[in-house]
């Protein structure tokens, strides 16, 4: 072999080794990040129980929902003048939210009837959104009416997934993790995935209005596959029964002792906690829609409409993440007191926002958004703790499904109120304070009374 050919072979080998080294250098951050995420999601027995896979599935779900939200917001809200946008969003609420308010109560009973098909139900919710995202991709550029029925399907599928996911968590609980910590991990994973998917969706939108929906389709297709990787015990209904939100107290009426257990049979804490959480969820829905239009018409300070809305969304997301993290860390044993405190904090924040809106709008609106996110997250974790403590195991899974449906309906009611109000900041913050005050009136006294009695068993928030 000639010396020239030998040198050529050596050069080729050196180039190949250099290329592989560059490839490893570029690949290492991604594989390292993937291993880090897997270690975090599978820690403390979550990998063995299957909870880690549910955490990853929920992150995929949240990312897909955010991409669809980016596509819809760009079409329904940002792409047209304010007056037309308000009409489009009102139409969106009428075509999607109103039917959902009628369909939501059906979700819980349907889940009671199909306890052996939870993995299939979650996969079906993912696949439905993947197909609907493709359907919407043709209409998103024009904003045609066919967009709205597809959006309704996406909404119903998303909420159905959420209810099933709440019902599945108790089945995958590791011995070393409480139910509240497990829900906190799931929620944090969703928030982190949303934070990654939002800029990714915005970048895809720069290519074209349909591209975020193409991305969502791919994400939900992956979620369809991941749903079936959950353990088979997810589909087990052993030891479970149905729960009702409105049954009579069997301890007070011996003649009703033969009835199936419901949430009222285990004491007032859960129902008062649900009332409080419904008030905070309605506040969230109200602020979502009211501030979206208010800040577009009247931006904060010297900011533009998009920057104003982005600031409030970031504050609410930060508050939600902080509340979830605090819930996973907090060692208090009084979920009733925590919920009552969150109602008080939310009421103070909204009252201050109403009083000082004209003076320092940028501060009070941002603070109100952050407080709403924090209070909603901590109150929901505390409600989970009370359901874990007070609801019998044989109906606990169904109770999670029913309570989640009720909270989702509350968000719809709050959103409907927000879209119907005039765009007056002080008035909106006063209405927000009224929503929270209603929760205070309905729930705080009962929560504090239950806390003084000590409940049926002590429950940890973490």
């Amino acid at each position: 072999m000639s010396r020239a050919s030998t040198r050529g072979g050596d050069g080729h080998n050196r180039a190949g080794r250099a290329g592989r080294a560059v490839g490893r250098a570029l690949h290492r951050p991604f594989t390292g990040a993937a291993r880090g995420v897997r270690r975090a999601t599978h820690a403390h027995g979550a990998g063995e129980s299957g909870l880690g896979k549910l955490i990853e599935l929920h992150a995929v779900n949240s990312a897909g929902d955010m991409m669809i939200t980016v596509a819809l917001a760009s079409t329904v809200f940002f792409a047209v003048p304010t007056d037309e946008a308000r009409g489009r969003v009102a139409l969106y609420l009428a075509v999607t939210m109103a039917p959902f308010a009628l369909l939501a109560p059906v979700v819980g009973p349907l889940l009671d009837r199909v306890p052996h098909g939870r993995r299939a139900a979650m996969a079906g919710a993912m696949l439905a959104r993947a197909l609907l995202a493709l359907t919407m991709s043709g209409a998103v550029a024009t904003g045609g009416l066919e967009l709205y029925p597809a959006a309704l399907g996406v909404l119903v599928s998303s909420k159905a997934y959420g209810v099933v996911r709440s019902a599945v968590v108790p089945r995958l609980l590791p011995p070393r993790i409480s139910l509240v910590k497990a829900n906190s991990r799931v929620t944090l994973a969703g928030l982190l995935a949303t934070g990654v998917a939002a800029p990714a969706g915005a970048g895809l939108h720069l290519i074209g209005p349909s591209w975020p929906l193409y991305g969502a389709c791919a994400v939900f297709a992956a979620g369809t596959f991941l749903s079936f990787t959950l353990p088979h015990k997810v589909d087990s209904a052993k030891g479970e029964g149905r729960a009702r939100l409105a049954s009579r107290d069997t301890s007070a009426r011996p003649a009703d002792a033969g009835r199936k257990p419901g949430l009222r049979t285990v004491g007032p804490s859960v129902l008062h906690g649900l009332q409080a959480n419904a008030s905070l969820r309605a506040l969230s829905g109200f602020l979502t829609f009211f501030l979206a239009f208010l800040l577009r018409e009247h931006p904060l300070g010297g900011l533009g409409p998009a920057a104003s809305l982005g600031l409030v969304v970031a504050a609410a997301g930060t508050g939600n993440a902080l509340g979830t993290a605090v819930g996973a860390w907090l060692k208090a044993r009084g979920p009733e007191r925590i919920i009552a405190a969150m109602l008080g904090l939310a009421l103070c924040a909204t009252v201050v926002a109403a009083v000082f809106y004209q003076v320092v709008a940028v501060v009070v609106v941002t603070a109100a958004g952050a407080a709403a996110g924090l209070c909603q997250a901590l109150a929901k974790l505390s409600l989970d703790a009370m359901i874990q403590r007070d609801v019998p195991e044989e109906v606990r899974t169904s109770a999670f499904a029913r309570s989640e449906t009720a909270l989702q309906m509350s968000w719809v009611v709050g959103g409907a109120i927000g879209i119907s109000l005039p765009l007056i900041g002080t008035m909106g913050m006063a209405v927000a304070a009224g929503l929270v005050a209603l929760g205070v009136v309905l729930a705080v006294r009962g929560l504090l009374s239950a806390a003084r009695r000590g409940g049926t068993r002590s429950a940890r928030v973490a």
Side-chain angles (χ1 to χ4, degrees), residues 221-232:
T224 303
F225 170 77
L226 289 176
S227 298
F228 287 110
T229 66
L230 295 174
H232 289 282

Side-chain angles (χ1 to χ4, degrees), residues 28-386:
R28 191 174 294 116
F30 297 100
T31 56
R35 286 195 294 268
V37 170
R38 177 58 61 93
R39 284 196 297 269
T41 58
H42 286 59
H44 303 104
E48 293 80 1
S49 71
L51 179 64
K53 291 184 177 180
L54 180 64
I55 292 173
E56 293 166 357
L57 176 64
H58 186 64
V60 170
N61 172 83
S62 300
D65 276 343
M66 174 51 63
M67 287 190 175
I68 289 183
T69 300
V70 169
L72 287 177
S74 300
T75 300
V76 175
F77 183 73
F78 288 110
V80 294
T82 300
D83 292 339
E84 186 178 347
R86 188 160 190 167
R88 284 195 180 191
V89 174
L91 179 62
Y92 175 85
L93 284 177
V95 176
T96 59
M97 297 298 186
F100 172 73
L102 299 176
L103 292 173
V106 181
V107 174
L110 284 178
L111 290 176
D112 283 338
R113 296 180 183 275
V114 288
H116 298 288
R118 292 181 183 135
R119 292 189 304 167
M122 298 174 87
M126 294 283 186
L127 181 60
R129 280 177 287 173
L131 297 176
L132 288 168
L134 283 181
T135 302
M136 295 165 65
S137 64
V140 72
T142 62
L145 291 178
E146 64 271 20
L147 180 68
Y148 298 96
L152 171 61
V154 169
L155 176 67
V156 172
S157 298
S158 178
K159 300 307 180 183
Y161 161 83
V163 170
V164 178
R165 190 260 303 168
S166 295
V168 162
V169 171
R171 284 285 171 188
L172 302 178
L173 196 64
R176 290 179 289 170
I177 300 179
S178 71
L179 183 60
V180 175
K181 281 192 174 182
N183 281 316
S184 177
R185 283 193 181 189
V186 174
T187 303
L188 278 175
L191 289 172
L192 291 174
T194 297
V196 173
L204 289 173
H205 186 267
L206 295 176
I207 302 174
S210 299
W211 279 89
L213 294 169
Y214 296 147
C217 178
V219 169
F220 286 129
T224 303
F225 170 77
L226 289 176
S227 298
F228 287 110
T229 66
L230 295 174
H232 289 282
K233 61 184 175 181
V234 166
D235 290 333
S236 171
K238 183 179 179 180
E240 292 184 9
R242 299 181 188 177
R244 295 190 302 273
L245 287 179
S247 64
R248 298 181 183 276
D249 190 344
T250 57
S251 63
R253 297 186 58 180
D256 293 336
R259 292 190 175 188
K260 295 176 181 177
L263 293 184
R264 287 186 182 175
T265 66
V266 295
S269 292
V270 171
L271 283 176
H272 289 310
L274 186 59
Q275 290 169 341
N277 273 268
S279 172
L280 293 173
R281 191 64 66 91
L283 172 66
S284 174
F286 173 82
L287 292 178
T288 297
F289 288 97
F290 180 75
L291 290 181
F293 285 104
L294 177 68
L295 298 181
R296 180 169 178 171
E297 190 72 15
H298 307 290
L300 296 173
L303 301 175
S308 299
L309 185 58
L311 177 64
V312 176
V313 169
T318 301
N320 201 322
L322 179 62
T324 303
V326 169
W329 167 81
L330 197 61
K331 300 298 180 184
R333 290 181 175 268
E336 293 92 349
R337 290 188 175 91
I338 292 175
I339 294 178
M342 291 303 99
L343 278 175
L345 176 59
L347 182 61
C348 290
T350 50
V351 168
V352 169
V355 173
F356 294 101
Y357 182 85
Q358 297 294 341
V359 182
V360 282
V362 63
V363 175
V364 298
V365 170
T366 304
L374 185 147
C375 294
Q376 178 181 294
L378 261 179
K380 181 60 169 63
L381 291 174
S382 299
L383 175 63
D384 291 344
M386 291 191 292

